[in-house]
Amino acid sequence: MCRICGGAVSEFFDFGRQPLSDTFLRADEVSGEYFFRLAVGVCEDCSMVQLLDEVPRDRMFHADYPYHSSGSARMRNHFEQTARDFLDTELTGTDPFVVEIGCNDGVMLRTFREAGIRHLGFEPSRGVADLARADGIRVLTDYFEESSAVRIRESDGPADVIFAANTICHIPYLGSIFRGMEALLAPDGVFVFEDPYLGDIIRLNTFDQIYDEHFFLFSVNSVRTAARRFGFELVDVRRLPVHGGEVRYTIARTGARPVSPAVDALAAEERDRGLIDPATFERFGADVKRICGELVELLRRLRAEGKRVAGYGATAKSATVTNYCGIGPELVDVVYDTTPAKHGRLMPGSHIPVRPASELAETRPDFAVLFAWNHAEEIQVKEKAFHESGGRWITYVPDVRIT
Ligand code: DWN
Ligand code: SAH
Ligand code: ZN
């Protein structure tokens, strides 16, 4: 049943039994590993694309949540620029107040703290919330939802901007989020969020954007309908080049803001490109199977030729690739990553060991599968020596390729 409207959800792809994408295991945790069925479908009534089964939120977001948003220089710049844009546009009044849902290690709120702007982050994962606090940022170790939003309205007053990046699509209980908006957002305030864009996922076959945490895959049509259902209005949309293609949605109270022509334009483009047609989702499913087949064939061939293949970027996304395609340590012997919390652990489900990225240069495999393909440019500059000494990158979206 659709988490937005209660309609029937028509399943279009089943990835089967999958682990928690961000649970990097110690050897003694392997036997108790948690699995769920990762299947995705589209609502026949409101067109929202969503998972069929839900993982309880505390299993995913907890003190040991390993993803640190500040790990990429490009993303640090992206969020600093986003904060600066808000300072120039929405936060020009006296004593403005900005709230972030899922502030992680404070990658964006840092700029507001430096500018002396009243701010608050909601961040249920205590480890990353503590990192933000150590940086002087005000953080509540809690989920944003109706009850916590009501409490902050009472203690802090209305918010001019409520922002979320790569977080709203993680929240199946979207009705509670909008009731929280109703309570906390100033009458002319804006709720702005950015998430991976269904249009780009389908166009570029980036099927690994589908994993436990990504409960919704948003489009302009589905977000506009959801906002209306919860008493709000989608007033602007903007495509973003980060994380393989995202859309930033701006939502306001109904009638509070003029609606940009960009909303109708992108909604029409989605219809023209068949983003709500069953045939599009069928084609996507066929492409996922083809890409996995080609990737595994390549890895097997390289192994048979005696080549050594590693992985680069122990991403949440890579859980879907390794586990759906059946890639284990026999094909990819280690995955290199810069995140200390992931080092010495095993990748979820596939149990490939994770090692510090500095070891790529020391051990120099023949090939490295670029699981963090969304950071390709940044990583390929950083790891120039790997390529110059003859190492080659393997990517798998939109196609399997060696570069
Ligand atoms: O939506 C989400 C996004 C924002 O972050 C979360 N659900 C979880 C997470 O997803 P992900 O793990 O797929 O995100 P990234 O940003 O693709 O992860 C990059 C990984 O690669 C990190 O573990 C850090 C690592 N990395 C690296 O080893 N060298 C990253 C860079 C930039 C590098 O140079
Ligand atoms: N905004 C950051 C972090 C994205 S990861 C970025 O774009 O890089 C998603 C984050 O959302 C995690 O840190 C997780 O703990 C947090 N989260 C999940 N559910 C939440 C909720 N209901 N309220 C606030 N944060 C939430
Ligand atoms: Zn629906």
Side-chain angles (χ1 to χ4, degrees):
M1 201 166 77
C2 173
R3 278 302 235 131
I4 303 293
C5 77
V9 178
S10 153
E11 182 178 313
F12 63 82
F13 202 81
D14 185 355
F15 290 91
R17 205 172 88 105
Q18 292 284 330
L20 301 171
S21 63
D22 259 320
T23 296
F24 293 83
L25 309 153
R26 288 189 309 262
D28 64 331
E29 290 171 326
V30 166
S31 61
E33 191 168 12
Y34 178 90
F35 290 92
F36 77 111
R37 187 179 81 104
L38 179 66
V40 60
V42 55
C43 175
E44 291 169 9
D45 293 335
C46 76
S47 82
M48 183 64 82
V49 174
Q50 57 199 282
L51 302 189
L52 276 293
D53 295 338
E54 194 173 318
V55 172
R57 62 187 188 178
D58 293 342
R59 280 197 180 270
M60 299 185 282
F61 311 118
H62 44 66
D64 297 323
Y65 186 69
Y67 183 69
H68 294 186
S69 301
S70 297
S72 150
R74 172 151 179 255
M75 293 313 297
R76 287 198 299 276
N77 290 338
H78 169 79
F79 287 121
E80 182 183 337
Q81 192 51 53
T82 304
R84 294 204 181 287
D85 288 348
F86 283 131
L87 287 173
D88 292 342
T89 54
E90 299 291 337
L91 301 171
T92 55
T94 43
D95 192 25
F97 179 37
V98 54
V99 167
E100 185 175 4
I101 306 176
C103 69
N104 199 273
D105 60 9
V107 67
M108 161 146 137
L109 289 180
R110 192 172 298 142
T111 301
F112 295 121
R113 197 258 296 141
E114 283 163 6
I117 297 286
R118 203 151 58 86
H119 62 270
L120 177 68
F122 283 83
E123 180 46 73
S125 298
R126 204 182 61 234
V128 288
D130 284 344
L131 291 175
R133 261 191 294 271
D135 206 8
I137 293 160
R138 190 172 160 233
V139 187
L140 200 63
T141 308
D142 202 356
Y143 294 95
F144 182 94
E145 58 193 328
E146 184 179 9
S147 55
S148 53
V150 166
R151 279 200 304 279
I152 294 306
R153 173 67 175 82
E154 283 162 6
S155 58
D156 291 61
D160 302 286
V161 171
I162 301 181
F163 178 77
N166 307 300
T167 299
I168 299 304
C169 74
H170 295 53
I171 304 182
Y173 41 101
L174 204 55
S176 177
I177 298 299
F178 275 98
R179 289 192 297 278
M181 289 300 146
E182 184 59 49
L184 185 56
L185 197 65
D188 62 345
V190 281
F191 169 32
V192 181
F193 65 94
E194 56 193 57
D195 279 300
Y197 178 44
L198 178 68
D200 289 320
I201 293 171
I202 298 284
R203 185 172 60 87
L204 300 169
N205 299 326
T206 50
F207 65 94
D208 54 352
Q209 288 285 15
I210 303 170
Y211 56 89
D212 55 351
E213 295 174 23
H214 285 179
F215 186 82
F216 291 120
L217 304 182
F218 293 135
S219 64
V220 174
N221 277 289
S222 65
V223 168
R224 179 162 65 176
T225 306
R228 276 191 196 134
R229 164 170 289 269
F230 297 123
F232 285 79
E233 193 168 31
L234 178 61
V235 297
D236 203 3
V237 292
R238 185 176 144 196
R239 295 182 72 166
L240 302 171
V242 295
H243 288 309
E246 302 206 323
V247 167
R248 179 178 292 166
Y249 304 90
T250 302
I251 286 175
R253 292 181 189 271
T254 307
R257 298 266 179 140
V259 179
S260 157
V263 177
D264 265 344
L266 197 47
E269 187 184 313
E270 289 177 358
R271 278 192 301 272
D272 292 347
R273 289 187 33 222
L275 209 56
I276 42 184
D277 298 345
T280 300
F281 298 116
E282 269 169 42
R283 196 270 301 154
F284 172 76
D287 283 341
V288 174
K289 289 184 180 151
R290 177 181 53 78
I291 290 169
C292 277
E294 289 174 11
L295 179 60
V296 170
E297 195 186 295
L298 172 66
L299 296 176
R300 287 205 184 118
R301 181 166 61 77
L302 294 174
R303 247 313 134 95
E305 289 169 7
K307 306 286 192 216
R308 189 185 148 225
V309 183
Y312 196 102
T315 57
K317 293 182 286 288
S318 66
T320 298
V321 182
T322 51
N323 290 289
Y324 178 70
C325 305
I327 298 168
E330 70 294 346
L331 292 179
V332 170
D333 62 357
V334 296
V335 177
Y336 298 110
D337 193 284
T338 49
T339 315
K342 298 180 183 179
H343 298 159
R345 304 284 182 115
L346 303 173
M347 299 271 288
S350 68
H351 306 152
I352 302 170
V354 183
R355 305 292 310 162
S358 55
E359 292 183 10
L360 175 74
E362 292 158 23
T363 66
R364 235 292 257 123
D366 300 301
F367 294 86
V369 182
L370 188 53
F371 290 121
W373 50 263
N374 47 313
H375 301 295
E377 228 171 278
E378 183 174 345
I379 290 170
Q380 286 170 351
V381 168
K382 201 182 288 178
E383 303 293 356
K384 215 166 60 220
F386 168 68
H387 199 267
E388 282 173 358
S389 66
R392 289 293 171 261
W393 297 103
I394 296 174
T395 50
Y396 48 89
V397 289
D399 278 307
V400 176
R401 225 176 279 170
I402 296 176
T403 54

